[in-house]
Amino acid sequence: MEDSRSPHMKALELRQLRYFAILARELHFGRAADVACVTQPALSQQIAKLEALVGMPLFTRDARGVTLTPAGDALRDGVEQVFGQLDLALRAARGAGKDQGFTLSIGLVEYTNLPFVPPALIRLQALYPDVAIVRREMNARRQWAALGADEIDVGFGVPVEQPGRDAQVRSEELLDSGWCLLIRRDHRFARRTRLHINELAAERLIVPARSVNEPLYDSVLARFASAGVQPNIVYETTQSQVGMTLVDQGLGSMLGAAYVFASVPESLVYCPVDGFDPLTVKAFYREGEHSSLVLDFVELAIEEARRVQAAASACAARRATNLSLL
């Protein structure tokens, strides 16, 4: 059968529209490239190809930043409709011949307040409106066994060690993070750009309880010991929001991963602390997984985590610049 599409449609690639949609949302080539999991030159190249197909610029690039042209505005609205129709078609295909809902069981430590999980779940529900989410509290080590026993479908965690070969678990790196100290704005460290573990010796520390993640807790104490520091831990909490409240009320300073402090009260700031092992948040799922629900969720989590990582890097750069001007 003869292809009746126009030459422009034949040359159009779906990834070009996806990259366009991401850039139209982020309005920043660096962040958009991180979210799309491509290099910035590759993103720019695909946008240029799309603009060539359209026959006019879709974005304006100047000293003030990136903005959509009128043509870009029109295309963005159309692309959103196209992806909306694609989502409907995919849902119809998945549900064809089936009369059942979907259940996704997730293993994670709720204390860690992973910022990419809520937006990934929201987007997943747009793809699977009838999905039911079940959350199970467990650290990375326990997730591996739970995946093998079909108790969970996806896990998110910070592994201190790696799963054994017999675990048959795949992992995807989502975001990297260092350690930070959450403090009040009137604290003596509030204008510092970085701290070292040795400087925490005199601090009254609020830390995540050992029951939250035993291997990680033990590794933190080991780093203190190797640095010759006896930490003054005044409170161990199983809820990050409780720890933030205690910092705000003056009980002490809270030690935690940077992503835990993605959203804090205006009265608090956090400062990176060197000397601890870096953290890598990973997603875990079964080898040979074929469920579209699971695979789609992992892909959405990766995309949202890259957006979080890009935003965190930009925020850290702005904070360093602002402090240098004080």
Side-chain angles (χ1 to χ4, degrees), residues 116-117 120 156 174 283 296-306:
F116 57 83
V117 171
F156 297 109
L174 298 178
D296 283 348
F297 183 54
V298 171
E299 183 177 341
L300 292 172
I302 291 172
E303 186 171 307
E304 292 298 333
R306 290 184 180 274

Side-chain angles (χ1 to χ4, degrees), residues 208-282:
R210 188 173 187 272
S211 60
V212 169
N213 192 330
E214 298 97 327
L216 192 59
Y217 181 96
D218 293 343
S219 72
V220 169
L221 290 190
R223 294 306 299 169
F224 272 121
S226 64
V229 175
Q230 178 64 44
N232 178 22
I233 298 175
V234 298
Y235 194 89
E236 295 188 8
T237 178
T238 59
Q239 295 293 327
S240 56
Q241 293 300 322
V242 171
M244 294 179 195
T245 299
L246 293 176
V247 174
D248 207 11
Q249 294 176 350
L251 179 66
S253 305
M254 184 175 175
L255 182 65
Y259 53 79
V260 175
F261 306 137
S263 178
V264 300
E266 286 291 326
S267 56
L268 305 179
V269 295
Y270 57 89
C271 183
V273 181
D274 296 325
F276 294 101
D277 295 326
L279 303 169
T280 300
V281 181
K282 295 185 177 183

